Amino acid sequence: MFNEEMRSEQPLRWAMVGGGRGSQIGYAHRSGATRDGHFQLVAGAFDIDADRCRDFGTNLGLSADRCYADYLTMFTEEAQRDDGIQAVSIATPNATHYPIAKAALESGLHVICEKPVTFTVVEAEDLKQIAQKHNRIFGVMYGYSGFQMIHQAREMIQRGDIGEVRVINMQFAHGFHAQEVEKNDPGAKWRMNPEVSGPTYVLGDIGTHAFYMAQLMTDLEVDSLCCTRQSFVKSRTPLEDNAHVMMQFSNGAVGTLCSSGVNAGSMHQQKIRIVGEKASLEWWDERPNQLSYEVQGEPARVLERGMGYLHKDSPAVNSDRIGGGHAEGFFES
């Protein structure tokens, strides 16, 4: 079980680009990065407005002179300091990820980037080569993959508990954008703007989560696919707010991905079901501490986080903080 003795004695000096006041994801980066003492926030270019950036950063406890008007200035000036930053998070809209990440890597920084990394494979391969050249880590944020039972599922699949994988059903289909909410929600508006968000909405914004976790569980690659996309809220055209994908995987398995922002009444409905020749596994992000394990011819069972019957060398056990049955709540609790 994780405990305070595993905290880093010398946390990485860390900065953020974006993630300022009103950001949907900024707080998640800061709380996640600092909870185990591996990172210390020391600088930031939180906002394109210099005054807002400084006001926000100083409210976080940073020195005013380390709250920068833009990321290039931050990378340059921090490189001149003996205590300059070593890593940076990128929590800005999609279209800016590639230039910021490239500049950060070329400045010798480790990078944690929000998805998508880039809009094209060529740009992504470029970042990979730059990271390798400078011997720096480039990480992408897929936060759901931190749930222990995702890793339990991976261990079970790798060990052959369900037999050869035959079918993978993936979905992330909420209902919060069933209407044109972007009219009055700046945080949603840019996601429906192809110049900022890129060539896709629900597939790239939420469908990619379910797809990534299915790959994490199975290690299978897609050989071929076909897709149908809809813009039920017409003002979102050409970006889709609903999509269905059929896939053929490298081992002969088949799969489907349903991604939607117009599944009226649904909270998330992010589910991944892996069907094998002997058994199936299913994970649902609204019940993230549980994994359904269904063996053909036996009663279905629910595996719980933190329990002794889980695979011992899996993160499902060795990254657990508080043991089975206890919920990780807000800091105040």
Side-chain angles (χ1 to χ4, degrees):
M1 185 179 295
F2 190 96
N3 61 56
E4 289 82 354
E5 293 177 343
M6 299 173 68
R7 295 173 69 90
S8 175
E9 293 182 3
Q10 292 184 322
L12 286 173
R13 298 185 297 276
W14 167 61
M16 291 192 70
V17 180
R21 188 172 289 118
S23 166
Q24 182 183 24
I25 203 68
Y27 175 76
H29 276 254
R30 289 186 293 274
S31 62
T34 58
R35 67 183 306 176
D36 293 330
H38 296 309
F39 295 85
Q40 181 182 3
L41 185 66
V42 297
F46 303 105
D47 198 300
I48 57 175
D49 182 280
D51 291 335
R52 290 200 303 259
C53 174
R54 188 179 307 108
D55 180 66
F56 181 75
T58 53
N59 280 335
L60 293 180
L62 303 185
S63 300
D65 63 346
R66 300 186 78 173
C67 300
Y68 296 93
D70 63 86
Y71 67 89
L72 289 175
T73 300
M74 179 170 70
F75 296 162
T76 299
E77 294 194 12
E78 287 291 317
Q80 308 304 313
R81 300 177 62 113
D82 292 336
D83 62 348
I85 59 174
Q86 300 166 296
V88 63
S89 283
I90 300 172
T92 57
N94 301 351
T96 64
H97 292 177
Y98 173 68
I100 299 173
K102 182 177 181 180
L105 290 169
E106 290 176 339
S107 298
L109 300 172
H110 301 290
V111 175
I112 304 121
C113 186
E114 271 298 321
K115 60 162 181 64
V117 176
T118 65
F119 290 166
T120 69
V121 173
V122 172
E123 290 177 339
E125 289 289 346
D126 185 41
L127 293 181
K128 179 181 178 180
Q129 291 174 8
I130 297 171
Q132 291 174 338
K133 175 183 176 181
H134 292 275
N135 193 28
R136 290 296 178 266
I137 293 172
F138 188 99
V140 187
M141 295 306 299
Y142 281 101
Y144 296 103
S145 64
F147 284 112
Q148 290 96 333
M149 299 312 286
I150 294 291
H151 297 272
Q152 171 68 14
R154 174 181 170 82
E155 287 289 326
M156 294 177 71
I157 294 168
Q158 300 303 316
R159 293 173 185 236
D161 291 354
I162 68 169
E164 185 177 16
V165 175
R166 291 175 170 174
V167 180
I168 305 175
N169 292 326
M170 300 157 277
Q171 68 177 47
F172 197 150
H174 67 71
F176 291 101
H177 294 165
Q179 306 298 325
E180 195 177 3
V181 297
E182 57 269 28
K183 277 187 174 182
N184 302 307
D185 184 348
K189 187 174 183 178
W190 71 260
R191 298 179 187 276
M192 285 71 160
N193 179 352
E195 293 183 2
V196 181
S197 69
T200 175
Y201 163 42
V202 292
L203 281 172
D205 187 42
I206 57 176
T208 183
H209 279 292
F211 177 71
Y212 173 77
M213 284 193 292
Q215 283 196 308
L216 177 63
M217 291 179 185
T218 67
D219 279 340
L220 296 180
E221 296 182 357
V222 174
D223 279 347
S224 61
L225 59 81
C226 63
C227 177
T228 175
R229 305 163 66 211
Q230 299 81 36
S231 304
F232 284 113
V233 177
K234 300 306 180 185
S235 61
R236 294 171 183 161
T237 306
L239 300 186
E240 82 289 343
D241 51 24
N242 191 82
H244 296 270
V245 186
M246 294 190 297
M247 306 175 190
Q248 180 91 33
F249 290 90
S250 53
N251 74 330
V254 296
T256 59
L257 169 62
C258 171
S259 182
S260 182
V262 297
N263 185 19
S266 169
M267 286 294 294
H268 264 188
Q269 285 297 316
Q270 182 181 192
K271 291 183 177 181
I272 297 92
R273 184 174 180 84
I274 313 293
V275 180
E277 60 182 318
K278 299 187 295 185
S280 299
L281 296 169
E282 184 170 301
W283 182 83
W284 180 15
D285 79 339
E286 294 173 36
R287 298 177 182 175
N289 293 328
Q290 299 177 331
L291 179 68
S292 177
Y293 179 35
E294 303 163 19
V295 180
Q296 182 60 34
E298 299 180 9
R301 65 202 75 172
V302 175
L303 308 183
E304 296 278 356
R305 174 186 59 80
M307 299 304 292
Y309 49 71
L310 303 179
H311 289 310
K312 299 297 186 294
D313 54 354
S314 164
V317 173
N318 58 37
S319 69
D320 191 69
R321 290 176 172 80
I322 55 178
H326 298 277
E328 292 194 70
F330 298 106
F331 291 125
E332 290 81 358
S333 64

